[in-house]
Amino acid sequence: MQLTLGPLLYYWPRARLDAFHDAMAAAPVDRVYLGEAVCSRRHEYRTGDWLDAAARLADAGKEVVLSSQVLLESESDLRALRRFVANGRFLLEANDMGAVHCLEGKVPFVAGPHCNIYNLPTLQWLAPLGVQRWVIPLEMGAADLAILQAGRPLGVQTEVF
């Protein structure tokens, strides 16, 4: 089992984010998700800043995953996603099917909780597209999770939020 810190889902000013990332570099977590998953207009970090923070955390021994937004709304959101896809170093978390489309066949990825994977056929469909890990939807119950775990494709990990 690994301990993972998900992406921040609320606004923090840049100085607080920097301090938090410094603290997480020393914290006993294995994996850190970074990125603006909620709204592109509410942050002080830009794509390059997220990549710099990712590099600092990776240098501290953390596995870093870059999180995409839950809903891509503009061309600038799509450009930021494409920069994440082209980063060449860090795994990406797709949080909508548009992000899955940008990633499929190019790089391995994590299917985030907002991809709404509630059944085995969906999880099996994502496997050949490059999904390496999936995060269960927040409201999924234990019985449904057990069904997906029983038929989960080989090599695909499960993460519980």
Side-chain angles (χ1 to χ4, degrees):
M1 183 181 318
Q2 295 180 319
L3 183 59
T4 299
L5 177 67
L8 294 175
L9 301 177
Y10 36 84
Y11 172 78
W12 278 0
R14 179 183 201 85
R16 187 168 182 191
L17 263 178
D18 289 339
F20 181 70
H21 293 150
D22 290 342
M24 290 306 98
V29 298
D30 302 296
R31 181 180 303 124
V32 179
Y33 284 70
L34 293 176
E36 178 54 60
V38 179
C39 178
S40 64
R41 290 176 290 285
R42 68 173 194 166
H43 64 82
E44 296 179 24
Y45 264 35
R46 300 288 178 229
T47 306
D49 300 318
W50 290 116
L51 292 170
D52 290 344
R56 289 193 311 271
L57 286 162
D59 290 345
K62 309 303 177 189
E63 177 190 343
V64 176
V65 180
L66 300 172
S67 295
S68 73
Q69 285 181 228
V70 173
L71 179 62
L72 299 173
E73 298 176 334
S74 67
E75 182 60 33
S76 64
D77 293 346
L78 191 53
R79 279 193 305 270
L81 175 62
R82 287 181 182 134
R83 282 191 66 197
F84 274 1
V85 170
N87 85 83
R89 182 173 178 192
F90 304 109
L91 190 64
L92 271 82
E93 176 190 41
N95 279 307
D96 79 345
M97 295 312 287
V100 169
H101 177 69
C102 287
L103 294 162
E104 70 176 283
K106 296 180 182 99
V107 294
F109 63 93
V110 176
H114 307 286
C115 281
N116 298 322
I117 302 169
Y118 288 98
N119 58 60
L120 193 52
T122 301
L123 186 57
Q124 291 169 334
W125 174 77
L126 286 167
L129 300 181
V131 74
Q132 185 177 71
R133 181 170 52 246
W134 72 292
V135 183
I136 71 168
L138 304 178
E139 62 279 349
M140 181 175 275
D144 291 328
L145 176 58
I147 293 167
L148 273 82
Q149 287 293 87
R152 180 173 39 100
L154 288 176
V156 177
Q157 301 171 344
T158 300
E159 190 169 294
V160 178
F161 191 85

